[in-house]
Amino acid sequence: MPQLDVRESASPPLTIADAAGTEADTVLARLGSAPGGLAADEAAERLAQLGPNAVRTHEASGWSVLGRQFRSPILILLLVTAALSLSLGDATNSIVIGVIMLVSVGLGFSNEFRAERAAEALHSRVTHTVVVLRDGTTREVDVTALVPGDVVQLGLGAIIPADLRVLTATDLLCDESILTGESLPVGKDPAPVAGGAALGDLTSCLFMGTVIQSGNCTGVVVATGGQAEFGRIALGLGDRQPQTEFQLGLKRFSFLLLQVAIGLTSLIFIANLLLHRPLIESLLFSLAIAVGITPQLLPAVVSTSLATGTRQLAKRKVLVKRLVCIEDLGDMDILVTDKTGTLTEGRISFTAALPVTDAVSADELLTLGLLATEADYTGAKRSVLGQNPLDAALWESTQAAAFEPSRYQRLDVIDFDHQRRRTSVLVRDAGGPARIITKGSPEDVLALCGATAARVQALLDEQFDAGSRVVAVATRAAAGTEDISPADEKDLTLAGFLVFLDRPKAKAKESLDRLNALGIKVKIATGDNAKVAEKVCEQLGVLSGGTITGVEAEAMSDPELSAAAREASIFARVSPEQKARIIRLLRQSGGAVGFMGDGVNDALALHQADIGISVDSATDVAKDAADVVLLDKDLGVLADGVMEGRRIFANTIKYVLMGTSSNFGNMFSAATASVVLSFLPMLPGQILLNNLLYDSGQLAIPGDRVDKEQLLAPAHWDIAFIRRFMFLFGPISSVFDFATFALMLFVFNAVPGEFRAGWFIESIATQTLIIFVIRTRRVPFLRSRPSLGLLCASLGVVALGVYLPLSPLAGVLGFDPLPVPFFLALLGMTVVYLVLVELAKQWFFSRSAQQQAAAPALPGVRRRGTDHHVARRAARFSSTGSRTRHSRRGPLVPRRGRPGRRTANRVQGPSRPRNS
C-alpha cells in the first residue's frame, strides 16, 4: 500500500477549514495517509507523539482530591478559628484545632481517593471502538487510539470520533446541534467547499461529537482530542458535570444547615456580647458552634457509600458513569425498556422465507433480502461487523452461503431510517435491467404495494401471533434508472416475508418479578409489531395493562397520552421521537423514570429519562446518552443495581438524620449554657474534637445493613422531613445535656475543667450510640442488627471519648479528672436516653406526616441544557491521565526529521468512565 511518511513532508499544518476546501486526495497526501489508511506502526508512532484522542482524563489524582478537601468552607472556618486562637496566645487551643483539621482532611482524603480509584477501575470496563483501515484492512480500535491520517468507516448512529474530511459518502446526513445549535441535520459529501465558509457550512467535513443521522461514509482524521472543534469546547467547559437529583438534594440539605448555623451562631454571639463576655472569646465560641452543627465528614461518608456501592455493582456487572448516578438508580419507580435482549435472548435467527406469489421462490426471496441490506453485499458475506441484527441474521443463515455477489451490481441505496422504517436498493442482475428492492416493516412496505390480499394478511397475522419478527420484501422494475430517492418507493409488488425468531429469556420472568417487588413498573417500548410484544409478555406470564401504538400516540394530545401511558404496559411501533415524548410525559406525571435501550433510536429517550441505562454491546450513540452501562443485558442485573442504589441512599440518610439531630441538640445546649453559665461549657477545640470523634465513628455507616422494607420502594430527599426529625430529636438530646449540667453543678459541684470533661463524655456517648436507634424503624438489635463494623466503630469512639479526659492528654485538652460516681450516673442516663429516643421514634413514624413522606416525591421535570450534553459526550473521549497528553497547539505538523514530543494539557476532574 502506498504510504507517504508524514516526516518527509514540508507542508504547513492542516486545519479542518483547510481540509474542507481541499480535494480529498490532496488531504490524504498532506496527512501522510492513503485510501487504505495508515500502516499500523505509523499509527502507533503518531499516537506516541500526539497522545490519545481524549479531552478528559479519568486518572484518580491524589493532589486533586486533596485540593478539594482544602476548598471546604468548614475547613476554612477551622483555619480562621485556629488563626484567631494563635494570635491571642492560646497556642493549646490552636494546636488542638490544627490536629483536628489534619485528621478531618486525612479521613476525607482517604475515603474520597478510594472512591475515585474505584471509579477509575470502572472506566476501563466500558470502551467505544471505531472501524478503521490500517494496512489496507478493516479493524476495530479504541476511539482514543485514533490519530490524524487514520481512515475510518462510519454508519447510521455513529458518533463522529474526531474531526474528519469526508472521502466517500452515501446519503449522509449529520446532526451537528451539539456544535451549532441547529436542530436540522446537515447533508455531507466529499466535494470541497469554498474558502472562508462558517463551521456549519463545511459540508465536506465531519466534526467530533456530532452524530450520523442517516447514510454512511468513510473519512480521514484531520484533528483529534483538544485540537478538534468539539474538543476545544469540551476543554473550555472544564470538569463541570450536570447535577443529579441526589446532588440537588444534598445542596438543599446544606442550605438548611446554613440557615440553622447562621441563626444559632448569631444569637450566641449577640447574647455573649450583651453579657459583656470578651469579644474574641465569644467569636471563637460562635465559630466552633457553627462548625459543630455541621456534619463535617458528610462528603467523606457519601464518597465512602458510593465507593462501596461501585465495588458491589461492578461485581454484579453494573457500571456507572458517575458515582452519584447510583443514587438516582435507586430512585427509579418506572422502567421503560426495549424488548430485544431484555425480555428476549437478543440472539436473532432467520427461520423462514415465505413467498406470497408463485413468481418468487423461497431462495429468490432470501436473495432479495440479502441484496436489500445497507452493507455492501460483497463485504457483508465475509463479515457482519457493523450490520443491524436482522441483516446479520440473514447473512449468517446457512441459505446465504449460496449467494453469488458477483452476479449483481448495486447502483444506489437508501439507508434505513426510523421514520420510513425500510431500506431500498437499486440493483442490476447480471447486466440485465435495474430494479428497486425495498425491505422493511410489513406495515410500511405493504402501504407501498396497494391493496393487501386477505390470504397475505392472514399469513402475516399468523406469524405475528406466533411471536415471530417479520420483515416484508417488495420489488419493481426500474429500467433506465441510475439512482433513487424515497419518492421512488412506490407501486411496489410484495414478494414475501422474511421470518426471524428471538426467544424469550429463561430468567426474564424472575427478573420482572424482582423489579415488581421493588415497586418498579416495567413498560415495554419497541419498534416491533404490537402482537409480537404482546406474545412475548404472554409467554412470560406478564399481565399487560394495554398497548399503545405509535399511530395512536401520534393522534393523542399530551394530557391524553400522559393518562394513557400511566396505564399502558406496551408501546409498539413507536419512533424515537415518540419514545422520548412518552418518557417526558411519564416524568411529568410524577414518576422517576428509567429508560433502558441500546439502539440508535433510543438516544432521545435516554436523554429524556431520569436515569438512562444501556449495555456494553449497545451502539455508540446509546452508550453516550446513558448514565449506567450494564455488562450483561439482563433485568436481573438491573434489579441488583436498584437495590444497591437504595441501600446507599438509606445509609446516607442515616448519617444525615443522626448528625443533624445530635449536632443541633448539642449545639443548642452549648448555646444555652454559654449564656447561663459564668464560663464556656466547652472550649472551641473541645467542641470540634467531640464532633470529629463521633463523625469518624460513623464512617462505618456505608457498610451497614439495611432493613428489607427500606429497599422495597424508592426514597427521595425530603428536607421538610429532615427538619421535623431534627426539631424533635435535637431537643431530646438537649434535655439530657441539661440533666448532665445539673448533675455536674449541683451534685458534684464541678469546676469548669470537670464540667467540660463530664459533658464531653456524655455528649460522645449519647450522640454516637443514638445511631443504633435511628438506623432502623424496627426495634434495634432484636429485630434489626447493625453491621459488625458499625458496632465496633461506634463502641470504639465511645471508649476513646471516655478515655481522653482521663488520659495524659487531659490537661492539654482542658479537662480535669472526674469522680467515679459520675460514670455510674452516665450509664443510667444513657440507657434512659436511648429508651426515650426509641419511644419518640415509634411515635414519630406513626404520624400521618411521616407516612406521606415515605411515599415517592414528585421529582419534577429536569432541565438539560447544551453544557449537559457536551459534558456527557466529552466523557467518551477519556483516557488515563498518564496517557492524556493532547495539547491545543494545533493539528499534526508534518516536517522533516523526527517530530518533537508535545507538552501535556490534561483536564483533570471527577472520575468518569472511559469513552462513555
Side-chain angles (χ1 to χ4, degrees):
M1 178 190 67
Q3 179 73 48
L4 176 64
D5 191 338
V6 67
R7 293 168 295 177
E8 298 303 318
S9 171
S11 302
L14 182 65
T15 65
I16 193 67
D18 293 336
T22 307
E23 291 291 342
D25 290 343
T26 305
V27 172
L28 283 169
R30 290 186 60 181
L31 290 169
S33 187
L38 296 172
D41 57 351
E42 174 67 16
E45 186 173 341
R46 294 188 184 191
L47 184 63
Q49 174 195 351
L50 295 175
N53 177 33
V55 295
R56 291 284 190 270
T57 176
H58 52 259
E59 181 184 35
S61 167
W63 290 111
S64 177
V65 175
L66 188 61
R68 288 202 294 273
Q69 309 306 311
F70 283 99
R71 289 197 296 269
S72 165
I74 296 174
L75 193 66
I76 294 173
L77 206 57
L78 287 172
L79 282 170
V80 171
T81 306
L84 283 172
S85 297
L86 188 62
S87 65
L88 296 172
D90 188 356
T92 300
N93 199 43
S94 179
I95 291 171
V96 170
I97 295 174
V99 171
I100 290 171
M101 283 173 49
L102 290 176
V103 174
S104 179
V105 168
L107 287 171
F109 170 80
S110 62
N111 282 279
E112 288 195 43
F113 188 58
R114 284 180 61 202
E116 288 216 356
R117 291 291 297 271
E120 180 185 1
L122 294 181
H123 279 283
S124 301
R125 303 282 296 274
V126 181
T127 61
H128 282 292
T129 59
V130 62
V131 177
V132 302
L133 283 166
R134 286 186 180 168
D135 295 318
T137 60
T138 58
R139 65 183 68 180
E140 284 190 344
V141 301
D142 194 291
V143 70
T144 60
L146 283 182
V147 295
D150 265 328
V151 175
V152 301
Q153 298 178 346
L154 301 166
L156 175 67
I159 296 176
I160 308 303
D163 282 359
L164 310 176
R165 172 62 165 89
V166 178
L167 301 178
T168 65
T170 304
D171 298 326
L172 187 60
L173 291 175
C174 193
D175 175 6
E176 296 183 343
S177 57
I178 200 165
L179 285 181
T180 65
E182 295 294 333
S183 58
L184 294 177
V186 179
K188 300 287 184 175
D189 63 68
V193 299
L199 180 70
D201 297 325
L202 300 181
T203 54
S204 61
C205 293
L206 301 174
F207 299 99
M208 172 192 273
T210 60
V211 182
I212 293 181
Q213 187 162 313
S214 69
N216 55 72
C217 70
T218 61
V220 61
V221 176
V222 176
T224 58
Q227 302 165 1
E229 296 295 326
F230 176 81
R232 280 193 279 270
I233 294 174
L235 290 174
L237 285 180
D239 300 313
R240 287 178 295 165
Q241 284 285 312
Q243 290 189 314
T244 67
E245 288 300 310
F246 177 72
Q247 289 173 308
L248 294 174
L250 274 178
K251 182 184 290 186
R252 292 191 292 268
F253 169 65
S254 300
F255 184 67
L256 169 65
L257 288 182
L258 179 63
Q259 290 176 309
V260 174
I262 290 175
L264 192 56
T265 52
S266 298
L267 288 173
I268 294 169
F269 184 61
I270 294 171
N272 276 271
L273 290 182
L274 291 176
L275 292 171
H276 305 291
R277 301 276 171 77
L279 173 66
I280 298 301
E281 183 181 85
S282 299
L283 179 61
L284 288 174
F285 185 73
S286 299
L287 289 175
I289 292 293
V291 174
I293 203 170
T294 308
Q296 298 174 43
L297 296 182
L298 178 60
V301 168
V302 172
S303 296
T304 304
S305 294
L306 295 175
T308 303
T310 55
R311 288 192 292 270
Q312 295 300 319
L313 288 178
K315 293 177 182 177
R316 293 170 170 83
K317 300 184 178 181
V318 180
L319 306 183
V320 289
K321 291 187 176 182
R322 294 184 298 142
L323 297 185
V324 288
C325 292
I326 300 174
E327 303 281 1
D328 281 352
L329 188 60
D331 282 349
M332 182 173 63
D333 51 19
I334 297 175
L335 173 65
V336 182
T337 178
D338 60 358
K339 173 176 61 66
T340 303
T342 52
L343 301 182
T344 64
E345 293 178 349
R347 294 192 295 271
I348 299 174
S349 57
F350 172 68
T351 59
L354 304 177
V356 298
T357 172
D358 294 337
V360 178
S361 67
D363 289 342
E364 290 171 336
L365 178 59
L366 175 63
T367 298
L368 293 175
L370 293 172
L371 290 171
T373 54
E374 293 180 17
D376 182 357
Y377 47 81
T378 57
K381 190 173 182 180
R382 296 193 301 270
S383 171
V384 296
L385 185 67
Q387 297 189 48
N388 70 66
L390 293 175
D391 283 353
L394 273 182
W395 286 108
E396 290 175 336
S397 66
T398 56
Q399 300 94 316
F403 178 74
E404 299 179 12
S406 58
R407 284 186 51 191
Y408 305 95
Q409 179 186 5
R410 175 181 289 184
L411 304 177
D412 200 7
V413 60
I414 307 173
D415 288 335
F416 178 90
D417 64 60
H418 297 286
Q419 284 72 42
R420 293 165 44 255
R421 291 185 295 194
R422 56 183 178 266
T423 301
S424 292
V425 294
L426 181 64
V427 178
R428 181 179 290 121
D429 179 0
R435 57 176 169 171
I436 294 175
I437 305 171
T438 297
K439 181 180 71 178
S441 73
E443 296 91 335
D444 293 281
V445 173
L446 287 173
L448 306 174
C449 299
T452 303
R455 65 177 183 82
V456 172
Q457 188 63 52
L459 177 63
L460 180 60
D461 290 341
E462 180 185 351
Q463 297 304 316
F464 282 150
D465 290 340
S468 300
R469 300 186 66 171
V470 183
V471 171
V473 180
T475 184
R476 74 171 174 87
T481 304
E482 295 297 327
D483 55 63
I484 55 174
S485 68
D488 295 307
E489 296 174 324
K490 60 183 181 179
D491 302 328
L492 301 176
T493 299
L494 183 67
F497 302 114
L498 301 173
V499 183
F500 302 83
L501 183 63
D502 187 12
R503 294 178 176 82
K505 276 188 176 178
K507 294 184 178 180
K509 177 67 165 64
E510 177 186 342
S511 299
L512 289 171
D513 289 342
R514 285 188 62 195
L515 290 171
N516 183 63
L518 291 171
I520 298 174
K521 296 179 180 178
V522 178
K523 300 176 183 291
I524 299 171
T526 178
D528 212 339
N529 182 271
K531 290 184 177 181
V532 175
E534 289 169 351
K535 180 66 176 179
V536 170
C537 289
E538 178 188 330
Q539 291 172 328
L540 293 173
V542 177
L543 294 177
S544 172
T547 301
I548 298 175
T549 66
V551 174
E552 292 169 344
E554 197 65 31
M556 294 181 187
S557 64
D558 278 2
E560 291 171 338
L561 182 56
S562 178
R566 286 198 298 270
E567 300 299 325
S569 300
I570 299 171
F571 308 102
R573 288 286 193 234
V574 284
S575 68
E577 292 77 14
Q578 289 167 341
K579 286 183 184 180
R581 182 187 175 207
I582 290 167
I583 297 297
R584 175 174 56 83
L585 293 176
L586 285 172
R587 293 179 66 232
Q588 290 177 347
S589 67
V593 183
F595 180 79
M596 183 171 175
D598 62 355
V600 176
N601 58 329
D602 295 322
L604 290 176
L606 285 165
H607 279 302
Q608 281 288 338
D610 289 299
I611 185 80
I613 306 158
S614 192
V615 293
D616 193 33
S617 58
T619 59
D620 280 352
V621 70
K623 281 198 289 188
D624 170 71
D627 301 295
V628 175
V629 177
L630 308 182
L631 296 183
D632 187 0
K633 193 174 184 181
D634 184 355
L635 292 180
V637 172
L638 183 59
D640 291 337
V642 171
M643 291 182 67
E644 190 63 30
R646 293 180 183 178
R647 190 190 67 79
I648 290 171
F649 187 85
N651 280 335
T652 302
I653 290 298
K654 288 177 189 177
Y655 176 82
V656 168
L657 294 179
M658 182 213 69
T660 50
S661 58
S662 297
N663 284 7
F664 175 72
N666 284 347
M667 295 308 103
F668 178 77
S669 302
T672 304
S674 70
V675 175
V676 174
L677 299 176
S678 60
F679 56 89
L680 290 179
M682 242 192 250
L683 298 176
Q686 293 168 346
I687 291 175
L688 299 176
L689 178 61
N690 180 294
N691 203 37
L692 178 66
L693 279 178
Y694 98 86
D695 257 358
S696 303
Q698 307 319 309
L699 285 174
I701 287 179
D704 188 29
R705 297 186 179 98
V706 174
D707 296 337
K708 183 179 179 180
E709 59 268 20
Q710 291 182 269
L711 304 176
L712 298 182
H716 305 277
W717 280 97
D718 187 341
I719 301 303
F721 170 82
I722 295 172
R723 188 186 298 113
R724 290 193 299 270
F725 194 96
M726 179 172 68
F727 288 137
L728 172 63
F729 291 92
I732 293 176
S733 175
S734 293
V735 167
F736 281 83
D737 288 337
F738 295 147
T740 303
F741 297 165
L743 181 71
M744 299 303 297
L745 292 173
F746 302 122
V747 177
F748 297 111
N749 298 313
V751 297
E754 290 177 320
F755 183 96
R756 291 163 181 158
W759 187 36
F760 182 89
I761 293 173
E762 182 268 341
S763 177
I764 281 288
T766 54
Q767 68 180 348
T768 301
L769 296 178
I770 194 178
I771 186 60
F772 297 120
V773 179
I774 289 177
R775 61 171 293 277
T776 177
R777 296 192 182 188
R778 302 177 181 179
V779 178
F781 293 103
L782 297 179
R783 298 189 59 233
S784 178
R785 292 184 296 110
S787 67
L788 181 62
L790 180 61
L791 183 65
C792 293
S794 299
L795 295 180
V797 165
V798 172
L800 181 60
V802 172
Y803 170 73
L804 282 176
L806 308 176
S807 71
L809 294 174
V812 176
L813 297 173
F815 296 130
D816 287 341
L818 289 164
V820 174
F822 166 79
F823 294 98
L824 297 176
L826 172 67
L827 179 61
M829 289 175 59
T830 303
V831 171
V832 173
Y833 171 69
L834 294 178
V835 170
L836 182 59
V837 170
E838 174 63 23
L839 294 175
K841 181 188 74 175
Q842 298 299 333
W843 173 83
F844 178 78
F845 285 112
S846 67
R847 297 176 66 231
S848 59
Q850 274 57 257
Q851 300 298 325
Q852 294 170 2
L858 304 186
V861 180
R862 183 180 299 171
R863 305 293 178 186
R864 288 172 164 171
T866 302
D867 285 3
H868 173 95
H869 295 294
V870 171
R872 263 188 169 183
R873 199 158 292 174
R876 72 195 312 272
F877 302 101
S878 171
S879 68
T880 55
S882 59
R883 296 176 57 228
T884 305
R885 305 194 322 275
H886 242 311
S887 74
R888 302 190 203 186
R889 290 178 48 194
L892 183 68
V893 182
R895 57 178 179 166
R896 295 183 183 276
R898 186 166 183 82
R901 301 179 71 85
R902 291 191 175 160
T903 58
N905 182 7
R906 304 192 312 184
V907 179
Q908 187 68 52
S911 294
R912 303 176 185 84
R914 183 174 61 170
N915 319 324
S916 47

